[in-house]
């Protein structure tokens, strides 16, 4: 707020301790290389930095000015968001198995965001949103931008209609899986 704009990106590279850095590095090593191979290094870096910037800017806007935070998890959630946009809009790029694994890990990570203490929830959510938007509206090809925006909005409106038609058994099975995963992380 006082002109120190670098603070919108530096938290992405700072960590609160070795275990925090190790966990974020593990997540980046697990999810980053495949996406980087798909996109190329330049686009991957852009998505990572944009998601981190979105996470930090949202933290500045929605948290008190005295709120301190560090870590690359907002940017890593941006990678999850980009993967989700691939799963939704470009299904042929990822196999069904890889898509399911990514969705499950993203769901578990989101749940852990709300369960664990000292987590910047705003950064996780806005990093996820930033990565998803970059994937859903490809700004790299301006010719298809308006078509991408229309596709994105039509998909969102169709999903609102589909939510009410989910099988209760399927929802229950997923709930049990997620609860078991959370209990596994706590032990």
């Amino acid at each position: 707020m006082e002109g120190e704009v670098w603070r919108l990106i530096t938290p992405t590279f700072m960590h609160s301790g070795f275990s925090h850095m190790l966990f974020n590095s593990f997540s980046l090593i697990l999810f980053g290389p495949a996406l980087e191979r798909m996109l190329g290094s330049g686009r991957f870096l852009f998505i990572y930095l944009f998601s981190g910037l979105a996470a930090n800017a949202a933290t500045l806007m929605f948290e008190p000015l005295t709120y301190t935070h560090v870590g690359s998890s907002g940017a890593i959630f941006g990678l999850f968001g980009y993967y989700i946009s691939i799963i939704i809009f470009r299904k042929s790029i990822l196999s069904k198995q890889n898509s399911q694994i990514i969705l499950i890990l993203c769901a578990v990570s989101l749940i852990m965001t709300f369960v664990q203490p000292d987590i910047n929830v705003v950064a996780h959510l806005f990093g996820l949103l930033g990565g998803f938007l970059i994937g859903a509206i490809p700004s790299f090809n301006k010719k298809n931008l308006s078509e991408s925006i229309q596709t994105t909005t039509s998909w969102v409106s169709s999903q609102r209609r589909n939510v009410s038609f989910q099988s209760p058994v399927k929802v229950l099975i997923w709930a049990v899986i997620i609860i078991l995963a959370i209990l596994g992380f706590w032990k």
Side-chain angles (χ1 to χ4, degrees):
M1 298 303 273
E2 296 176 5
E4 297 176 351
V5 264
W6 62 87
R7 290 182 181 225
L8 291 175
I9 200 69
T10 53
T12 305
F13 301 102
M14 300 173 66
H15 292 85
S16 62
F18 181 73
S19 62
H20 185 224
M21 184 183 72
L22 186 66
F23 183 77
N24 281 337
S25 297
F26 177 72
S27 297
L28 187 58
I29 288 170
L30 192 61
F31 299 107
L35 189 59
E36 186 177 10
R37 280 191 298 276
M38 281 190 270
L39 301 172
S41 297
R43 285 185 179 177
F44 176 82
L45 183 63
F46 175 77
I47 291 162
Y48 184 82
L49 293 176
F50 177 83
S51 299
L53 179 67
N56 294 328
T59 300
L60 175 66
M61 290 172 27
F62 295 111
E63 295 292 347
L65 290 178
T66 56
Y67 187 83
T68 57
H69 69 107
V70 292
S72 58
S73 52
I76 292 168
F77 267 83
L79 301 181
F80 275 133
Y82 196 89
Y83 269 122
I84 291 171
S85 72
I86 288 174
I87 292 167
I88 293 170
F89 299 111
R90 293 177 272 169
K91 295 177 176 148
S92 62
I93 293 178
L94 290 173
S95 70
K96 188 172 183 173
Q97 290 173 326
N98 286 338
S99 297
Q100 288 174 341
I101 290 170
I102 289 169
L103 289 173
I104 290 169
L105 290 173
C106 184
V108 169
S109 296
L110 275 172
I111 290 169
M112 297 308 290
T113 293
F114 292 100
V115 173
Q116 290 181 320
D118 300 325
I119 298 290
N120 186 346
V121 175
V122 171
H124 285 196
L125 294 178
F126 278 87
L128 183 72
L129 179 65
F132 178 79
L133 290 176
I134 291 288
I137 303 170
S139 58
F140 300 108
N141 186 354
K142 294 180 192 248
K143 181 180 174 187
N144 293 331
L145 183 60
S146 63
E147 181 182 325
S148 297
I149 292 170
Q150 289 173 345
T151 304
T152 304
T153 54
S154 67
W155 176 82
V156 168
S157 64
S158 72
Q159 291 306 304
R160 275 190 264 155
R161 284 183 248 126
N162 290 341
V163 168
S164 61
F165 297 112
Q166 292 290 329
S167 163
V169 174
K170 186 176 181 180
V171 171
L172 182 64
I173 290 171
W174 276 108
V176 169
I177 290 171
I178 290 170
I179 289 169
L180 289 174
I182 290 171
L183 292 174
F185 277 118
W186 260 333
K187 291 185 179 186

